[in-house]
Amino acid sequence: MYQPDQRPAMNTILCRILSILTVIVIILGVIILIVYFVFKPRYPEIRVDSAELTSLNFTGNYLTAKWDIKFIVSNPNKKLDITYNLISSGVFYGKDKNQFGNIATTKLQPFYQPKKSKTLFPVHFETYNTYVGNVVANGITDGRLRGSLKFGVVFNAIIKRTGWFHPKDSLLKVSCNPMNFVPSTNTAVWVLQRPVKCD
């Protein structure tokens, strides 16, 4: 008895299924791209608004000092909130942290920031009788005589952006420098000459 070949019908069904799956994948890709460009996930913008340096003292190459730095952290996202975790920050001498390393470091409490908002974030650093080496000691001593001290600060965190669309956690790592400190009317206090944007 003759039986018709079923293979052409099966091939047609498979082709239709593959075509439907391809269309679905393309549509999903377009939707994801549209969502991404609508939400435009952006990194926070950070700047040092003001800062004071006090208790600056040397014993040989050993430094004692305190820095009170006020960051302004801005969330530029229109649709995404940001949570900052594992926050750390450090003060360094000169223009490059990698040249001499951090003089003082601190770890900070996590915080949450709604979309399109700004947060004033004060941070205190302190170092007591810390060995900084001859080059840094001489540089700071010369700067004091000239009336200008250059430091920098780093700000690191793991950020989590949340909303209807939320990208994966990201590492935020910025450096704010040069921070130029000049003497205030109170000669024991050095103040930041102007705000500094962090990159």
PDB file of all heavy atoms in Angstrom, residues 16-37:
ATOM      1  N   ARG A  16       8.571  26.979   9.777  1.00  0.00           N
ATOM      2  CA  ARG A  16       7.658  27.955  10.365  1.00  0.00           C
ATOM      3  C   ARG A  16       8.010  28.223  11.840  1.00  0.00           C
ATOM      4  O   ARG A  16       7.979  29.372  12.287  1.00  0.00           O
ATOM      5  CB  ARG A  16       6.209  27.478  10.240  1.00  0.00           C
ATOM      6  CG  ARG A  16       5.682  27.553   8.817  1.00  0.00           C
ATOM      7  CD  ARG A  16       4.263  27.064   8.731  1.00  0.00           C
ATOM      8  NE  ARG A  16       3.783  27.158   7.361  1.00  0.00           N
ATOM      9  CZ  ARG A  16       2.640  26.644   6.938  1.00  0.00           C
ATOM     10  NH1 ARG A  16       1.855  25.988   7.783  1.00  0.00           N
ATOM     11  NH2 ARG A  16       2.267  26.775   5.686  1.00  0.00           N
ATOM     12  N   ILE A  17       8.335  27.153  12.578  1.00  0.00           N
ATOM     13  CA  ILE A  17       8.700  27.319  13.988  1.00  0.00           C
ATOM     14  C   ILE A  17       9.963  28.160  14.117  1.00  0.00           C
ATOM     15  O   ILE A  17      10.042  29.089  14.936  1.00  0.00           O
ATOM     16  CB  ILE A  17       8.888  25.938  14.665  1.00  0.00           C
ATOM     17  CG1 ILE A  17       7.541  25.231  14.797  1.00  0.00           C
ATOM     18  CG2 ILE A  17       9.536  26.101  16.049  1.00  0.00           C
ATOM     19  CD1 ILE A  17       7.638  23.800  15.274  1.00  0.00           C
ATOM     20  N   LEU A  18      10.961  27.871  13.270  1.00  0.00           N
ATOM     21  CA  LEU A  18      12.208  28.645  13.313  1.00  0.00           C
ATOM     22  C   LEU A  18      11.968  30.109  12.942  1.00  0.00           C
ATOM     23  O   LEU A  18      12.547  31.018  13.534  1.00  0.00           O
ATOM     24  CB  LEU A  18      13.244  28.025  12.373  1.00  0.00           C
ATOM     25  CG  LEU A  18      13.886  26.717  12.860  1.00  0.00           C
ATOM     26  CD1 LEU A  18      14.772  26.126  11.786  1.00  0.00           C
ATOM     27  CD2 LEU A  18      14.692  26.964  14.126  1.00  0.00           C
ATOM     28  N   SER A  19      11.107  30.332  11.966  1.00  0.00           N
ATOM     29  CA  SER A  19      10.791  31.711  11.566  1.00  0.00           C
ATOM     30  C   SER A  19      10.117  32.473  12.702  1.00  0.00           C
ATOM     31  O   SER A  19      10.447  33.629  12.972  1.00  0.00           O
ATOM     32  CB  SER A  19       9.871  31.698  10.333  1.00  0.00           C
ATOM     33  OG  SER A  19      10.529  31.114   9.237  1.00  0.00           O
ATOM     34  N   ILE A  20       9.171  31.799  13.386  1.00  0.00           N
ATOM     35  CA  ILE A  20       8.465  32.425  14.509  1.00  0.00           C
ATOM     36  C   ILE A  20       9.450  32.746  15.631  1.00  0.00           C
ATOM     37  O   ILE A  20       9.427  33.854  16.204  1.00  0.00           O
ATOM     38  CB  ILE A  20       7.324  31.516  15.011  1.00  0.00           C
ATOM     39  CG1 ILE A  20       6.212  31.467  13.958  1.00  0.00           C
ATOM     40  CG2 ILE A  20       6.763  32.030  16.340  1.00  0.00           C
ATOM     41  CD1 ILE A  20       5.168  30.402  14.232  1.00  0.00           C
ATOM     42  N   LEU A  21      10.354  31.791  15.955  1.00  0.00           N
ATOM     43  CA  LEU A  21      11.346  32.020  17.012  1.00  0.00           C
ATOM     44  C   LEU A  21      12.277  33.176  16.654  1.00  0.00           C
ATOM     45  O   LEU A  21      12.627  33.999  17.508  1.00  0.00           O
ATOM     46  CB  LEU A  21      12.158  30.742  17.259  1.00  0.00           C
ATOM     47  CG  LEU A  21      11.426  29.603  17.976  1.00  0.00           C
ATOM     48  CD1 LEU A  21      12.298  28.362  18.025  1.00  0.00           C
ATOM     49  CD2 LEU A  21      11.026  30.031  19.383  1.00  0.00           C
ATOM     50  N   THR A  22      12.671  33.250  15.383  1.00  0.00           N
ATOM     51  CA  THR A  22      13.546  34.341  14.935  1.00  0.00           C
ATOM     52  C   THR A  22      12.862  35.689  15.111  1.00  0.00           C
ATOM     53  O   THR A  22      13.461  36.658  15.592  1.00  0.00           O
ATOM     54  CB  THR A  22      13.942  34.131  13.463  1.00  0.00           C
ATOM     55  OG1 THR A  22      14.611  32.875  13.329  1.00  0.00           O
ATOM     56  CG2 THR A  22      14.865  35.256  12.992  1.00  0.00           C
ATOM     57  N   VAL A  23      11.594  35.757  14.718  1.00  0.00           N
ATOM     58  CA  VAL A  23      10.832  37.004  14.859  1.00  0.00           C
ATOM     59  C   VAL A  23      10.718  37.393  16.332  1.00  0.00           C
ATOM     60  O   VAL A  23      10.873  38.564  16.695  1.00  0.00           O
ATOM     61  CB  VAL A  23       9.432  36.856  14.219  1.00  0.00           C
ATOM     62  CG1 VAL A  23       8.545  38.039  14.585  1.00  0.00           C
ATOM     63  CG2 VAL A  23       9.557  36.740  12.705  1.00  0.00           C
ATOM     64  N   ILE A  24      10.454  36.401  17.210  1.00  0.00           N
ATOM     65  CA  ILE A  24      10.329  36.674  18.649  1.00  0.00           C
ATOM     66  C   ILE A  24      11.638  37.224  19.204  1.00  0.00           C
ATOM     67  O   ILE A  24      11.649  38.213  19.954  1.00  0.00           O
ATOM     68  CB  ILE A  24       9.899  35.397  19.411  1.00  0.00           C
ATOM     69  CG1 ILE A  24       8.451  35.048  19.076  1.00  0.00           C
ATOM     70  CG2 ILE A  24      10.059  35.591  20.930  1.00  0.00           C
ATOM     71  CD1 ILE A  24       7.997  33.708  19.605  1.00  0.00           C
ATOM     72  N   VAL A  25      12.769  36.602  18.822  1.00  0.00           N
ATOM     73  CA  VAL A  25      14.083  37.062  19.292  1.00  0.00           C
ATOM     74  C   VAL A  25      14.352  38.492  18.820  1.00  0.00           C
ATOM     75  O   VAL A  25      14.835  39.341  19.588  1.00  0.00           O
ATOM     76  CB  VAL A  25      15.194  36.103  18.810  1.00  0.00           C
ATOM     77  CG1 VAL A  25      16.568  36.717  19.042  1.00  0.00           C
ATOM     78  CG2 VAL A  25      15.086  34.765  19.518  1.00  0.00           C
ATOM     79  N   ILE A  26      14.033  38.789  17.564  1.00  0.00           N
ATOM     80  CA  ILE A  26      14.247  40.139  17.031  1.00  0.00           C
ATOM     81  C   ILE A  26      13.388  41.159  17.780  1.00  0.00           C
ATOM     82  O   ILE A  26      13.864  42.240  18.165  1.00  0.00           O
ATOM     83  CB  ILE A  26      13.940  40.173  15.520  1.00  0.00           C
ATOM     84  CG1 ILE A  26      15.011  39.386  14.757  1.00  0.00           C
ATOM     85  CG2 ILE A  26      13.886  41.619  15.016  1.00  0.00           C
ATOM     86  CD1 ILE A  26      14.706  39.176  13.290  1.00  0.00           C
ATOM     87  N   ILE A  27      12.125  40.806  18.018  1.00  0.00           N
ATOM     88  CA  ILE A  27      11.221  41.716  18.741  1.00  0.00           C
ATOM     89  C   ILE A  27      11.727  41.980  20.152  1.00  0.00           C
ATOM     90  O   ILE A  27      11.752  43.125  20.619  1.00  0.00           O
ATOM     91  CB  ILE A  27       9.783  41.144  18.773  1.00  0.00           C
ATOM     92  CG1 ILE A  27       9.179  41.195  17.363  1.00  0.00           C
ATOM     93  CG2 ILE A  27       8.905  41.924  19.751  1.00  0.00           C
ATOM     94  CD1 ILE A  27       7.857  40.486  17.238  1.00  0.00           C
ATOM     95  N   LEU A  28      12.163  40.906  20.851  1.00  0.00           N
ATOM     96  CA  LEU A  28      12.695  41.073  22.206  1.00  0.00           C
ATOM     97  C   LEU A  28      13.954  41.952  22.205  1.00  0.00           C
ATOM     98  O   LEU A  28      14.133  42.799  23.077  1.00  0.00           O
ATOM     99  CB  LEU A  28      13.014  39.707  22.824  1.00  0.00           C
ATOM    100  CG  LEU A  28      11.808  38.869  23.266  1.00  0.00           C
ATOM    101  CD1 LEU A  28      12.269  37.488  23.718  1.00  0.00           C
ATOM    102  CD2 LEU A  28      11.043  39.563  24.383  1.00  0.00           C
ATOM    103  N   GLY A  29      14.810  41.741  21.214  1.00  0.00           N
ATOM    104  CA  GLY A  29      16.017  42.562  21.108  1.00  0.00           C
ATOM    105  C   GLY A  29      15.697  44.032  20.907  1.00  0.00           C
ATOM    106  O   GLY A  29      16.298  44.910  21.526  1.00  0.00           O
ATOM    107  N   VAL A  30      14.711  44.310  20.049  1.00  0.00           N
ATOM    108  CA  VAL A  30      14.298  45.689  19.805  1.00  0.00           C
ATOM    109  C   VAL A  30      13.714  46.303  21.074  1.00  0.00           C
ATOM    110  O   VAL A  30      14.015  47.452  21.422  1.00  0.00           O
ATOM    111  CB  VAL A  30      13.277  45.752  18.646  1.00  0.00           C
ATOM    112  CG1 VAL A  30      12.650  47.141  18.555  1.00  0.00           C
ATOM    113  CG2 VAL A  30      13.948  45.387  17.328  1.00  0.00           C
ATOM    114  N   ILE A  31      12.893  45.536  21.798  1.00  0.00           N
ATOM    115  CA  ILE A  31      12.303  46.026  23.052  1.00  0.00           C
ATOM    116  C   ILE A  31      13.387  46.356  24.066  1.00  0.00           C
ATOM    117  O   ILE A  31      13.364  47.410  24.713  1.00  0.00           O
ATOM    118  CB  ILE A  31      11.312  44.985  23.634  1.00  0.00           C
ATOM    119  CG1 ILE A  31      10.062  44.908  22.751  1.00  0.00           C
ATOM    120  CG2 ILE A  31      10.921  45.351  25.064  1.00  0.00           C
ATOM    121  CD1 ILE A  31       9.127  43.774  23.119  1.00  0.00           C
ATOM    122  N   ILE A  32      14.381  45.467  24.202  1.00  0.00           N
ATOM    123  CA  ILE A  32      15.475  45.692  25.150  1.00  0.00           C
ATOM    124  C   ILE A  32      16.256  46.957  24.773  1.00  0.00           C
ATOM    125  O   ILE A  32      16.596  47.771  25.637  1.00  0.00           O
ATOM    126  CB  ILE A  32      16.409  44.459  25.204  1.00  0.00           C
ATOM    127  CG1 ILE A  32      15.700  43.298  25.908  1.00  0.00           C
ATOM    128  CG2 ILE A  32      17.705  44.796  25.927  1.00  0.00           C
ATOM    129  CD1 ILE A  32      16.425  41.980  25.805  1.00  0.00           C
ATOM    130  N   LEU A  33      16.525  47.130  23.483  1.00  0.00           N
ATOM    131  CA  LEU A  33      17.244  48.330  23.043  1.00  0.00           C
ATOM    132  C   LEU A  33      16.440  49.601  23.324  1.00  0.00           C
ATOM    133  O   LEU A  33      16.987  50.607  23.782  1.00  0.00           O
ATOM    134  CB  LEU A  33      17.545  48.236  21.540  1.00  0.00           C
ATOM    135  CG  LEU A  33      18.746  47.375  21.148  1.00  0.00           C
ATOM    136  CD1 LEU A  33      18.836  47.263  19.627  1.00  0.00           C
ATOM    137  CD2 LEU A  33      20.031  47.968  21.693  1.00  0.00           C
ATOM    138  N   ILE A  34      15.139  49.545  23.058  1.00  0.00           N
ATOM    139  CA  ILE A  34      14.288  50.710  23.313  1.00  0.00           C
ATOM    140  C   ILE A  34      14.293  51.051  24.799  1.00  0.00           C
ATOM    141  O   ILE A  34      14.462  52.208  25.200  1.00  0.00           O
ATOM    142  CB  ILE A  34      12.852  50.463  22.812  1.00  0.00           C
ATOM    143  CG1 ILE A  34      12.833  50.435  21.282  1.00  0.00           C
ATOM    144  CG2 ILE A  34      11.896  51.533  23.339  1.00  0.00           C
ATOM    145  CD1 ILE A  34      11.519  50.002  20.681  1.00  0.00           C
ATOM    146  N   VAL A  35      14.129  50.006  25.645  1.00  0.00           N
ATOM    147  CA  VAL A  35      14.126  50.223  27.098  1.00  0.00           C
ATOM    148  C   VAL A  35      15.453  50.808  27.554  1.00  0.00           C
ATOM    149  O   VAL A  35      15.501  51.747  28.350  1.00  0.00           O
ATOM    150  CB  VAL A  35      13.821  48.905  27.844  1.00  0.00           C
ATOM    151  CG1 VAL A  35      14.093  49.053  29.336  1.00  0.00           C
ATOM    152  CG2 VAL A  35      12.382  48.485  27.616  1.00  0.00           C
ATOM    153  N   TYR A  36      16.549  50.271  27.020  1.00  0.00           N
ATOM    154  CA  TYR A  36      17.876  50.748  27.412  1.00  0.00           C
ATOM    155  C   TYR A  36      18.047  52.226  27.066  1.00  0.00           C
ATOM    156  O   TYR A  36      18.508  53.029  27.890  1.00  0.00           O
ATOM    157  CB  TYR A  36      18.961  49.916  26.723  1.00  0.00           C
ATOM    158  CG  TYR A  36      20.364  50.344  27.081  1.00  0.00           C
ATOM    159  CD1 TYR A  36      20.974  49.855  28.234  1.00  0.00           C
ATOM    160  CD2 TYR A  36      21.054  51.241  26.281  1.00  0.00           C
ATOM    161  CE1 TYR A  36      22.258  50.260  28.577  1.00  0.00           C
ATOM    162  CE2 TYR A  36      22.338  51.640  26.617  1.00  0.00           C
ATOM    163  CZ  TYR A  36      22.935  51.153  27.759  1.00  0.00           C
ATOM    164  OH  TYR A  36      24.196  51.555  28.093  1.00  0.00           O
ATOM    165  N   PHE A  37      17.656  52.612  25.845  1.00  0.00           N
ATOM    166  CA  PHE A  37      17.858  54.004  25.434  1.00  0.00           C
ATOM    167  C   PHE A  37      16.870  54.952  26.093  1.00  0.00           C
ATOM    168  O   PHE A  37      17.160  56.132  26.261  1.00  0.00           O
ATOM    169  CB  PHE A  37      17.795  54.121  23.911  1.00  0.00           C
ATOM    170  CG  PHE A  37      19.053  53.636  23.238  1.00  0.00           C
ATOM    171  CD1 PHE A  37      19.041  52.471  22.495  1.00  0.00           C
ATOM    172  CD2 PHE A  37      20.242  54.329  23.372  1.00  0.00           C
ATOM    173  CE1 PHE A  37      20.203  52.017  21.891  1.00  0.00           C
ATOM    174  CE2 PHE A  37      21.406  53.883  22.764  1.00  0.00           C
ATOM    175  CZ  PHE A  37      21.384  52.714  22.027  1.00  0.00           C
TER     176      PHE A  37
END
